[in-house]
Amino acid sequence: MSEKTTLFVDVILPLSLPNLYTYRVPFELADKVKTGQRVVVQFGKSKLYSALVRKIHRVPPGQYEAKYIHSVIDTEPVVTELQFQLWDWMASYYMCAIGEVMNAALPSGLKLSSETKIILHPAFVPNEGKEQKINYEKLTDKEYLIVEALELREVLTLNEVMEIIEHKTVYPVVKSLLAKQVVVVLEELQERYKPKLRDFVRLSPELKKESKLKEVLDRLEKKAGKQLDILMAYLRLNDPQEKKEFQEWVKKSELLDLVKGSDITLKALIKKNIFELQQVEVGRLLSKSQGNPIDKRLNEGQESALTEMKKQFSGKEVILLHGVTSSGKTELYIKLIEDTLQQGKQVLYLLPEIALTAQIIQRLQSVFNKQVGVYHSRFNENERVEIWNSVLGGQRKLILGARSALFLPFSNLGLIIVDEEHDTSYKQFDPSPRYNARDSAIFLGQVHKAKVVLGSATPSLESYFNAQTGKYGLVEMTQRYGDVLMPEIEVVDIKEANKRKLMKSHFSPQLLEGVELALKNKEQVILFQNRRGFSPIIECYTCAWTPPCKNCDVSLTYHKAGNQLRCHYCGYTIPMPLQCEACGETNLKTKGFGTEKIEEEIGLFFPAARISRMDLDTTRAKHAHKQLISDFEDRKVDVLVGTQMVTKGLDFDHVSLVGILNADSSLNFPDFRSFERSYQLMAQVSGRAGRKNKRGRVIIQSHNPGHAIIQDVISNNYLAMYVSQLRDRKSFHYPPFYRLIELTLKHRDVDVLNEGATFIAARLREQLGDRILGPEFPLVARVRNEFLKAIMIKTERETSIASVKKIINEVCFEFKLQAAFKQIKLHIDVDPL
């Protein structure tokens, strides 16, 4: 700049602050600072943060003296103006701080603070000969000092790094170490150290010579028969003469299964240098697309739907694609994606749970290859930052992701697809912002002038209402692909079966006969029970005492795998008690059943069946979802027992039977959406049956088989469910006719909580009248030793939501000024689920 002028920047700090904070730019940095860059600033007495520049101007703050920014981390912006528009809208609509949106949006590798902790990257090996030289050659003097300190102390905060290199400007140094994959942030520690690994073995390269191999075979034949069996099995699986590098590696488990050999025998072969062992991380980024590219030809119904969608896009920005399960919605998405990419635009494909949709990822990778990027919170930090930068640089044109993919730095978005748009996984519950990715995607489409497709076999009532009233376009597909019939659905009255003593444990005769027939025909079975664990309640037979959680107002769930009782709210665990803590009786019994119990008991009825379980307990590892799905696809599993995870994104050729063990649990849940969600769950899991070659069968067990929702599932009548629920919603003032905002207050002292909740409800009632419900204790009134109270605000669609939010903000501000309520936590949830 020719003339030195003092510049100021308004920055977003990764904190829950109501306002932006203003800093002064040093003259030497005036030419370097840009909107969207990260800068290092001091906030408070000593803490340093990487903040985002939101605005550059020349107006000093009036209420305080601006501090100087310490340094500029980036040479170019990492956040675009279009992203800031989305952030501003989310902060306003979901009533949260812009810093909270920043925290949700940025990978933790892009939001460092002086309290951020770093560790050495697991792949960085500074003490092993050649590796040491290679790694250390990359490092500057300051980086070398940091690595040396980490070898001694393992974990360092950025404050400690400042002391080590005797310099305040540490952020560029740490950024460089992250980019070189020398360090990772501590938040990634568990994820980095527990990848899903698989062992592969191959014949030692020196044994490719026939003479050497013959020599080994002769030696083993004389002295080690079991080792010889393993070697011969390998040779049958893979002829080493072909010299195909990729093919000569064989799964260790597959090799041992082939000869019923032991791991010890194989280790002996490895020790003798007959075999080599390699561990491979089985992950989405490392896997290649499997199978052949899909058939891109559309049938008549698909062609008609695609034509109608393109026609409606001329007048509508958002279209709801309502297609029954297995109607071929994915093929339509692929056609729309191809058209968008040919225009040079980007595509965002949102999925409810990315780990459960490996099949869709593989299908899209087979069509679009390297243009596909996958982004979600289960990826490690380096992978997430890499995808972020590739989208920012324009290298990735098609992004598949869970809800966090909304925040990527798109520059030219042309199409957004929200698959399974009804799914509750699109809603973030904690921490703030408590946003719904489906609704946020529609606003993101407006920002980019992109088209939005909402797809589902069982749309949410709100989306279908918007389509019926003309706000969205509507395209419906009523036929399954290939004219496969919808499954035959049978309802079993388990109340009657219990009376007649026909039930065997939790299985009706019809369900057991169906499983037996499917297994006899070499077909697969899915059993659905939307409760994990072995048994939800342990009860004393004498006095009815049940073990409670010490932190929450819930009973503990019994998990047989660890022989422990566990709280599903706070994670508190205790060993299985030997006697009742109230009366001392040793006769304790389990009540109810979860997926763990179903897995065990179905194994007793069918001991030859291969059974797996898919729930939160079995899928905690990074790639566990994919492995389970892969095993089921490869027919290594006969019966899959699972929670609602088994309803999402799964397409199997050989599932002939689906069993829903207890349809009443979701129908009787005290929530205005329980009937809608029950229909969605049952219809979705039913759609897993008979998807390719033959008609499937679904058996629903219920105490109330005549229930209207169950009858609607049987007849596949979404419209009947929609009409009846819409009538109830209108009568009782619920969405889509009313908007909901929920305030939740938390405090350890129930008396202080009651007083605070009464205060805020009274203030709101003064201005909003009978639109206020509560305060009331929720179903679970204490979680993690904090009592909860909820206040619900219902406002008519016609009412200005902005004016209602203004009133809420003013009342909340007044509430926070009260000294007696300083310690009460207050959460605001707009459009709660």
Side-chain angles (χ1 to χ4, degrees):
M1 297 175 73
S2 57
E3 186 179 330
K4 286 190 175 182
T5 56
T6 301
L7 290 181
F8 294 88
V9 288
D10 294 341
V11 302
I12 304 172
L13 287 153
L15 302 168
S16 181
L17 300 171
N19 300 322
L20 301 183
Y21 215 74
T22 303
Y23 287 84
R24 186 189 296 261
V25 181
F27 287 129
E28 64 270 19
L29 296 179
D31 290 330
K32 297 179 180 178
V33 70
K34 298 173 186 174
T35 303
Q37 284 176 323
R38 291 174 300 158
V39 293
V40 180
V41 298
Q42 180 182 337
F43 187 75
K45 288 184 178 179
S46 59
K47 289 184 181 177
L48 294 178
Y49 293 92
S50 58
L52 277 170
V53 177
R54 183 67 185 91
K55 185 181 178 185
I56 304 171
H57 57 86
R58 291 183 171 83
V59 183
Q63 306 302 318
Y64 55 91
E65 185 178 345
K67 298 173 184 175
Y68 282 100
I69 63 172
H70 282 251
S71 62
V72 179
I73 298 176
D74 308 300
T75 54
E76 295 296 329
V78 294
V79 177
T80 67
E81 183 57 39
L82 292 172
Q83 283 176 284
F84 281 135
Q85 288 182 42
L86 174 66
W87 292 16
D88 291 340
W89 175 82
M90 290 181 81
S92 170
Y93 187 83
Y94 292 105
M95 301 180 71
C96 63
I98 190 80
E100 293 174 315
V101 181
M102 173 184 171
N103 264 331
L106 291 184
S108 56
L110 295 179
K111 52 184 188 203
L112 304 171
S113 75
S114 56
E115 294 182 345
T116 297
K117 295 177 182 178
I118 59 171
I119 60 168
L120 282 176
H121 193 298
F124 182 81
V125 189
N127 293 317
E128 293 185 12
K130 191 176 179 184
E131 287 286 342
Q132 178 181 3
K133 184 180 176 186
I134 293 168
N135 281 318
Y136 276 141
E137 279 177 353
K138 299 177 182 178
L139 306 180
T140 65
D141 290 343
K142 289 180 181 178
E143 292 169 351
Y144 180 88
L145 286 172
I146 295 169
V147 171
E148 202 171 43
L150 282 170
E151 287 182 80
L152 296 172
R153 294 163 62 178
E154 293 188 356
V155 179
L156 292 174
T157 67
L158 295 199
N159 269 335
E160 291 169 332
V161 172
M162 288 179 205
E163 294 171 10
I164 291 164
I165 66 173
E166 297 178 346
H167 204 285
K168 280 193 172 183
T169 312
V170 299
Y171 290 78
V173 183
V174 174
K175 179 189 174 187
S176 172
L177 286 170
L178 286 165
K180 292 174 181 177
Q181 297 192 3
V182 176
V183 301
V184 291
V185 285
L186 185 61
E187 286 81 358
E188 297 301 313
L189 179 63
Q190 185 177 359
E191 203 170 74
R192 298 297 303 183
Y193 278 121
K194 294 186 179 178
K196 181 79 172 179
L197 298 173
R198 183 171 289 164
D199 290 337
F200 286 81
V201 294
R202 73 171 178 182
L203 201 63
S204 179
E206 64 185 46
L207 297 184
K208 287 181 180 177
K209 293 179 182 177
E210 193 173 334
S211 59
K212 288 272 188 184
L213 180 60
K214 188 175 184 305
E215 184 183 319
V216 169
L217 288 169
D218 290 342
R219 191 166 70 243
L220 293 179
E221 188 174 11
K222 291 175 185 176
K223 296 183 179 180
K226 290 183 179 179
Q227 293 178 22
L228 178 65
D229 290 343
I230 292 178
L231 180 54
M232 293 302 295
Y234 174 85
L235 294 174
R236 287 196 299 273
L237 278 173
N238 203 337
D239 184 355
Q241 298 300 323
E242 293 183 11
K243 297 182 181 178
K244 293 181 180 177
E245 282 298 318
F246 180 75
Q247 291 183 353
E248 62 182 22
W249 287 102
V250 172
K251 287 181 192 173
K252 187 178 90 170
S253 58
E254 184 181 345
L255 182 60
L256 292 178
D257 287 346
L258 199 63
V259 293
K260 307 298 181 194
S262 73
D263 197 41
I264 295 172
T265 309
L266 183 58
K267 281 180 181 175
L269 287 167
I270 294 167
K271 196 172 181 180
K272 291 177 181 177
N273 295 321
I274 295 171
F275 277 116
E276 292 180 346
L277 176 71
Q278 180 183 10
Q279 282 195 322
V280 177
E281 182 178 346
V282 184
R284 189 168 296 103
L285 290 182
L286 299 175
S287 65
K288 300 189 178 184
S289 57
Q290 298 172 2
N292 298 319
I294 63 169
D295 187 354
K296 296 184 186 179
R297 292 172 298 179
L298 304 183
N299 63 22
E300 188 178 336
Q302 290 172 317
E303 284 284 5
S304 174
L306 184 62
T307 303
E308 181 62 22
M309 288 177 78
K310 290 180 176 179
K311 179 182 174 184
Q312 291 198 29
F313 268 141
S314 61
K316 304 283 184 185
E317 300 302 312
V318 183
I319 286 178
L320 175 64
L321 177 60
H322 178 205
V324 297
T325 53
S326 198
S327 58
K329 296 185 287 295
T330 305
E331 284 71 25
L332 294 192
Y333 298 153
I334 287 170
K335 289 293 184 184
L336 292 171
I337 291 168
E338 284 179 332
D339 291 347
T340 307
L341 294 179
Q342 284 172 8
Q343 297 169 29
K345 295 184 177 181
Q346 295 168 305
V347 178
L348 172 60
Y349 192 137
L350 288 179
L351 300 156
E353 289 187 39
I354 197 81
L356 297 178
T357 45
Q359 293 169 323
I360 294 176
I361 292 167
Q362 289 170 1
R363 291 170 80 184
L364 292 179
Q365 283 176 335
S366 71
V367 178
F368 301 107
N369 299 316
K370 293 181 181 179
Q371 295 185 84
V372 180
V374 182
Y375 186 86
H376 61 91
S377 58
R378 282 206 175 196
F379 279 0
N380 68 54
E381 205 49 51
N382 290 327
E383 291 165 338
R384 295 179 72 200
V385 173
E386 181 186 335
I387 292 291
W388 183 283
N389 290 333
S390 68
V391 174
L392 188 63
Q395 293 95 344
R396 300 279 186 176
K397 298 294 185 186
L398 169 57
I399 294 295
L400 285 85
R403 59 175 184 258
S404 57
L406 270 176
F407 296 112
L408 285 167
F410 298 102
S411 56
N412 187 22
L413 202 53
L415 176 68
I416 301 172
I417 296 166
V418 185
D419 200 9
E420 307 296 348
E421 64 84 28
H422 66 277
D423 201 286
T424 55
S425 299
Y426 284 124
K427 173 72 173 178
Q428 172 151 315
F429 295 98
D430 271 313
S432 187
R434 295 171 180 85
Y435 67 97
N436 190 312
R438 176 196 64 207
D439 302 334
S440 301
I442 292 170
F443 181 83
L444 183 65
Q446 293 173 14
V447 169
H448 286 267
K449 297 182 172 53
K451 303 298 183 184
V452 180
V453 178
L454 310 178
S456 178
T458 53
S460 64
L461 254 69
E462 289 88 342
S463 293
Y464 202 74
F465 178 80
N466 286 333
Q468 292 286 352
T469 53
K471 186 176 180 180
Y472 302 162
L474 176 63
V475 175
E476 304 203 74
M477 300 169 69
T478 57
Q479 293 295 317
R480 282 182 145 194
Y481 188 82
D483 294 324
V484 175
L485 293 171
M486 294 298 289
E488 173 193 353
I489 300 178
E490 178 183 352
V491 185
V492 177
D493 187 343
I494 52 178
K495 183 172 64 177
E496 184 64 26
N498 274 317
K499 279 182 184 177
R500 297 170 60 189
K501 301 193 184 313
L502 297 174
M503 293 291 289
K504 293 183 179 178
S505 182
H506 305 289
F507 305 98
S508 62
Q510 294 91 328
L511 184 55
L512 288 175
E513 287 167 15
V515 173
E516 185 177 14
L517 181 62
L519 295 176
K520 183 180 177 183
N521 294 334
K522 306 294 184 188
E523 294 166 340
Q524 292 174 300
V525 178
I526 291 177
L527 298 179
F528 171 66
Q529 167 63 5
N530 206 18
R531 185 187 288 275
R532 65 189 174 99
F534 189 85
S535 177
I537 296 174
I538 298 292
E539 186 178 86
C540 173
Y541 192 80
T542 306
C543 72
W545 169 83
T546 60
C549 174
K550 71 172 187 178
N551 306 315
C552 312
D553 283 347
V554 292
S555 59
L556 297 173
T557 299
Y558 176 49
H559 288 253
K560 192 170 183 179
N563 194 34
Q564 60 180 202
L565 302 181
R566 189 180 305 163
C567 175
H568 288 176
Y569 284 82
C570 72
Y572 171 72
T573 59
I574 60 170
M576 177 67 177
L578 300 176
Q579 62 183 57
C580 173
E581 291 185 12
C583 71
E585 176 61 61
T586 57
N587 190 2
L588 302 177
K589 61 180 180 179
T590 61
K591 295 185 72 175
F593 61 99
T595 50
E596 195 179 16
K597 190 172 187 179
I598 296 303
E599 179 189 26
E600 179 184 281
E601 293 193 345
I602 199 71
L604 296 176
F605 288 111
F606 303 100
R610 296 164 297 176
I611 302 163
S612 281
R613 172 164 51 96
M614 181 183 283
D615 56 25
L616 189 62
D617 298 318
T618 62
T619 56
R620 292 185 190 278
K622 183 176 177 182
H623 304 296
H625 297 89
K626 187 176 179 183
Q627 187 58 52
L628 273 169
I629 293 166
S630 176
D631 288 347
F632 199 62
E633 278 182 318
D634 296 342
R635 305 186 74 178
K636 295 177 182 176
V637 174
D638 301 314
V639 180
L640 182 63
V641 180
T643 57
Q644 61 184 359
M645 287 183 176
V646 301
T647 70
K648 301 175 184 180
L650 304 178
D651 181 2
F652 301 117
D653 293 348
H654 305 287
V655 175
S656 64
L657 175 69
V658 168
I660 299 173
L661 280 99
N662 184 10
D664 308 308
S665 59
S666 57
L667 284 168
N668 296 332
F669 194 76
D671 183 273
F672 75 92
R673 286 193 171 93
S674 62
F675 284 5
E676 175 192 4
R677 287 192 183 142
S678 295
Y679 178 89
Q680 289 166 343
L681 274 173
M682 285 189 276
Q684 289 283 346
V685 77
S686 298
R688 307 307 118 200
R691 295 175 66 85
K692 286 283 193 269
N693 305 317
K694 60 178 283 188
R695 189 180 189 189
R697 184 183 179 200
V698 179
I699 296 175
I700 300 175
Q701 296 185 164
S702 171
H703 287 86
N704 185 10
H707 196 288
I709 292 297
I710 293 176
Q711 294 304 311
D712 290 339
V713 172
I714 292 171
S715 58
N716 191 38
N717 195 341
Y718 173 85
L719 196 59
M721 184 278 296
Y722 167 78
V723 170
S724 67
Q725 287 304 293
L726 207 64
R727 185 171 57 245
D728 290 347
R729 300 275 184 94
K730 190 169 188 178
S731 300
F732 297 105
H733 298 178
Y734 282 110
F737 302 101
Y738 279 69
R739 297 177 187 270
L740 303 182
I741 299 175
E742 186 175 50
L743 307 185
T744 302
L745 295 88
K746 299 181 180 181
H747 196 271
R748 287 176 175 265
D749 188 323
V750 69
D751 295 326
V752 174
L753 178 70
N754 284 334
E755 189 180 344
T758 302
F759 173 90
I760 202 168
R763 290 290 189 275
L764 287 169
R765 240 181 223 105
E766 288 172 6
Q767 300 188 63
L768 297 174
D770 59 4
R771 296 182 182 90
I772 306 300
L773 298 180
E776 291 290 343
F777 288 107
L779 275 176
V780 179
R782 182 174 62 102
V783 175
R784 294 184 175 89
N785 280 324
E786 290 184 316
F787 292 94
L788 284 70
K789 266 206 157 175
I791 300 168
M792 184 68 77
I793 302 157
K794 290 183 176 181
T795 62
E796 305 86 344
R797 272 284 160 185
E798 302 76 34
T799 304
S800 166
I801 192 66
S803 61
V804 171
K805 288 177 180 175
K806 184 180 177 185
I807 292 168
I808 295 170
N809 279 326
E810 288 170 353
V811 170
C812 290
F813 182 73
E814 182 188 356
F815 173 78
K816 289 173 184 176
L817 292 177
Q818 308 300 311
F821 308 142
K822 286 280 186 186
Q823 300 303 314
I824 296 179
K825 296 175 186 174
L826 174 61
H827 294 163
I828 302 175
D829 190 359
V830 179
D831 300 336
L833 289 184

